[in-house]
Amino acid sequence: MLIAIDGPAASGKGTLARKLAARYGLRHLDTGLTYRGVAKALLDAGLPLDDESVAEETAHGLDLGGLDRAVLSAHGIGEAASKIAVMPAVRQALVDKQRAFAVTPPGAVLDGRDIGTVVCPDADVKLYVIATAEVRAARRWREIEAGGGTADYAGILADIQRRDARDTERAASPLKPAQDAHLLDTSEMDIETAFRAASAIIDAKRIERNAN
Ligand code: DC
């Protein structure tokens, strides 16, 4: 079983992917962390973020087992990741690793921007998770405030809109739904409702597969 989940920043796809992996006993890879891992390795080594061959070599050396979400979620690492994510050679190196992860038994849930279109075009189920930029900004804002921080809603919204533009307008593997993806608009759903909707789609697919 291979489940591909794509969508823009802060759409809730990561949380959904983790919950689905737990429910169906599958491995999970947040592919955004692979781009972040390369960015962090370059930053730590004092290497430039605009040299494609240096970034490609770093991508080849990345260990998927060593990706630490807590460390890699820093804002500056996300910004650096979006710069190296436009480089075709970096993408190819990371896509090869992501595919190797995807085909390892017992199956996997991968989330990112190009899973249904490029990394796993033959996935059993493809979900494309969206929510309006305003809803996503409000979720981020609540997350930060709940964690004891202070956040600026207008700044978060501007940041999300900038990242959307970068993800959808880039030439290499831009963010877009696969033709056979199920669209899940979570603008008016909480995570439990989104999880139930996604599970219903996956259960229907499993029944169909078992019948054939
Ligand atoms: O989802 P995220 O914020 O962790 O992603 C970090 C960067 O990597 C972001 O600029 C989008 C990019 N990315 C990508 O190009 N392809 C993926 N499959 C996953 C992330």
Side-chain angles (χ1 to χ4, degrees), residues 63-197:
D63 171 14
L64 296 195
L67 301 171
D68 182 338
R69 164 180 311 280
V71 172
L72 295 174
S73 60
H75 184 74
I77 296 177
E79 283 293 309
S82 76
K83 293 188 183 131
I84 56 119
V86 302
M87 298 172 171
V90 170
R91 302 200 68 86
Q92 191 55 57
L94 293 181
V95 166
D96 287 347
K97 286 177 189 280
Q98 293 161 8
R99 285 186 180 140
F101 181 95
V103 299
T104 304
V109 181
L110 272 72
D111 73 271
R113 304 291 192 289
D114 60 343
I115 309 304
T117 51
V118 175
V119 180
C120 304
D122 297 327
D124 297 290
V125 177
K126 298 180 186 178
L127 302 174
Y128 193 76
V129 184
I130 56 163
T132 65
E134 288 75 12
V135 165
R136 289 182 281 136
R139 284 180 189 158
R140 262 288 137 84
W141 183 86
R142 276 198 300 272
E143 247 170 51
I144 297 170
E145 296 273 324
T150 43
D152 157 37
Y153 173 79
I156 296 173
L157 178 60
D159 194 45
I160 281 180
Q161 287 167 331
R162 223 176 12 248
R163 288 186 56 185
D164 284 355
R166 216 181 276 162
D167 287 345
T168 53
E169 290 164 15
R170 69 169 178 236
S173 306
L175 171 66
K176 62 171 184 215
Q179 205 202 325
D180 52 349
H182 297 267
L183 191 70
L184 200 60
D185 185 343
T186 68
S187 300
E188 308 207 343
M189 286 182 192
D190 60 16
I191 182 65
E192 276 310 316
T193 311
F195 175 61
R196 277 199 299 276

Side-chain angles (χ1 to χ4, degrees), residues 43-54:
L43 292 170
D44 286 353
L47 292 167
L49 293 169
D50 58 358
D51 184 326
E52 185 158 357
S53 61
V54 169

